[in-house]
């Protein structure tokens, strides 16, 4: 068969447009494709929920690819290892309570399992705003990252979702947008983003699950974003808390969806 260059272009445009159109209304919209966002996407997708994840960069994986200082090896504790086991990712015991995994195997496997579970991942799309009513956040406002980078004056489009997960890492971008633009209070002790504290892996990894919760009606925090929002320490290159937090965020939302809260 002789290949036609324009048919290739038509295939891409038609298939991508169908995917995007079908994603404009979903159960859960996730902002950020780091470990927390990807694990949340996997757990929601495998329960049959319509889940869409938006990642600003060309590649998903967030801070996982580089391990620590670009040494591409990850450390997890026992609970983190249990999640890697679920994904079939190989781990090696370093010392009692410390397990290691190859970061490339980890990112690629979690990403593959999340998409195969039905989660739809869009890279190169940035979330620049939220949609909200008096009661709650009702979706996201998205634009091409290239538009954002080039500072072009191009209007965005919108995605309606029952729930949003802020999995934007240290930046806690969705939480900051809500705080700044709505002037309303977040569900934190101060009503605002408190800001992350200096590194302490032990405290950070112990508090992250408590901090994985609803931060504004319709919005849950997952991953490093939780500790940034609630004023807990950063944890550096240990990733168990990120994986557990993504899973917990999915569980909390699933409980609400099953309970028919909306
Ligand atoms: O930073 P990131 O990996 O967040 P995480 O899942 O994991 C944190 C760890 O990597 C590490 C750590 C723990 O050891 O502290 O830093 O909490 O992934 C966040 C992703 O969100 C994307 C960003 O490009 C990154 O890949 N992101 C951030 N803001 C936006 C966004 C946005 N507004 N729109 C789309 N994507």
């Amino acid at each position: 068969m002789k290949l036609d260059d324009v048919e290739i272009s038509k295939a891409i445009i038609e298939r991508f447009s169908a995917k995007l159109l079908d994603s404009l209304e979903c159960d859960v919209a996730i902002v950020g494709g780091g470990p927390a966002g990807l694990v949340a996407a996997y757990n929601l997708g495998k329960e049959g929920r319509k889940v869409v994840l938006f990642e600003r960069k060309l590649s998903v994986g967030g801070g996982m690819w580089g391990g620590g200082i670009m040494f591409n090896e990850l450390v997890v504790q026992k609970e983190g290892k249990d999640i890697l086991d679920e994904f079939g990712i190989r781990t090696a015991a370093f010392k009692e309570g410390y397990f290691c995994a190859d970061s490339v195997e980890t990112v690629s496997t979690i990403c593959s399992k999340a998409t195969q579970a039905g989660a739809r991942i869009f890279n190169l799309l940035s979330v620049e705003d939220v949609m909200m009513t008096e009661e709650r956040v009702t979706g996201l406002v998205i634009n091409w990252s290239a538009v954002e980078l080039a500072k072009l004056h191009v209007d965005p489009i919108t995605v309606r979702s029952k729930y949003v997960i802020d999995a934007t890492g240290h930046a806690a971008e969705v939480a900051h947008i809500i705080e700044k633009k709505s002037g309303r209070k977040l569900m934190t002790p101060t009503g605002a983003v408190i800001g992350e504290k200096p590194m302490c892996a032990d405290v950070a990894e112990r508090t992250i699950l408590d901090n994985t919760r609803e931060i504004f009606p319709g919005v849950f925090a997952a991953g490093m974003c939780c500790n940034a929002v609630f004023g807990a320490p950063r944890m550096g290159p240990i990733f168990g808390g990120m994986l557990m937090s993504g899973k917990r965020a999915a569980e909390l939302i699933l409980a609400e969806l099953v309970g028919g809260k909306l």
Side-chain angles (χ1 to χ4, degrees):
M1 189 194 87
K2 189 166 174 273
L3 287 171
D4 180 332
D5 296 294
V6 172
E7 284 306 316
I8 297 170
S9 303
K10 282 184 188 168
I12 292 168
I13 294 169
E14 202 171 299
R15 291 278 299 160
F16 181 83
S17 300
K19 278 197 292 194
L20 188 57
L21 265 177
D22 185 57
S23 303
L24 296 185
E25 294 188 86
C26 61
D27 290 324
V28 186
I30 301 176
V31 190
L38 287 174
V39 170
Y42 166 75
N43 280 282
L44 288 158
K46 105 178 148 55
E47 293 307 316
R49 297 299 168 173
K50 191 170 176 190
V51 53
V52 182
L53 184 153
F54 296 100
E55 167 54 50
R56 170 180 283 140
K57 295 190 176 149
L58 179 58
S59 59
V60 291
M64 250 190 317
W65 295 105
I69 63 158
M70 298 196 283
F71 288 14
N72 66 358
E73 195 69 15
L74 307 175
V75 176
V76 292
Q77 61 283 67
K78 170 74 176 70
E79 296 81 359
K81 178 192 180 304
D82 291 343
I83 295 181
L84 294 182
D85 287 347
E86 270 179 54
F87 282 98
I89 295 165
R90 295 168 299 169
T91 53
F94 172 66
K95 281 187 178 169
E96 198 190 332
Y98 296 80
F99 299 88
C100 293
D102 178 84
S103 71
V104 175
E105 178 179 348
T106 306
V107 178
S108 53
T109 305
I110 295 176
C111 183
S112 162
K113 293 264 162 79
T115 50
Q116 289 183 351
R120 190 167 270 152
I121 298 179
F122 290 99
N123 55 343
L124 297 166
L125 276 167
S126 292
V127 172
E128 62 170 56
D129 200 356
V130 294
M131 289 199 294
M132 67 174 15
T133 60
E134 286 295 305
E135 290 81 37
R136 61 191 284 121
V137 164
T138 56
L140 299 174
V141 179
I142 60 169
N143 210 333
W144 295 112
S145 304
V147 166
E148 182 185 67
L149 280 167
K151 298 190 176 30
L152 300 177
H153 188 167
V154 178
D155 273 317
I157 57 170
T158 48
V159 176
R160 180 175 297 121
S161 64
K162 293 179 183 156
Y163 292 92
V164 164
I165 297 180
D166 185 351
T168 59
H170 294 272
E173 290 199 20
V174 178
H176 279 294
I177 289 168
I178 296 168
E179 186 186 346
K180 279 196 198 125
K181 296 191 82 167
S182 76
R184 290 171 51 193
K185 289 198 182 319
L186 299 178
M187 296 159 165
T188 65
T190 62
V193 174
I194 300 175
E196 75 181 43
K197 298 287 180 288
M199 180 108 92
C200 180
D202 187 51
V203 174
E205 291 281 296
R206 277 192 284 110
T207 49
I208 195 161
L209 280 186
D210 276 348
N211 292 337
T212 303
R213 48 181 140 124
E214 200 168 25
I215 57 171
F216 190 83
V219 183
F220 285 74
M224 186 58 218
C225 169
C226 305
N227 281 8
V229 169
F230 286 99
R234 66 184 302 193
M235 67 288 294
I238 177 160
F239 285 80
M242 300 298 115
L243 307 172
M244 289 187 274
S245 173
K247 189 171 179 184
R248 169 69 62 89
E251 286 166 355
L252 293 171
I253 292 174
L254 283 168
E256 293 208 1
L257 286 167
V258 170
K261 197 172 163 188
L262 276 189

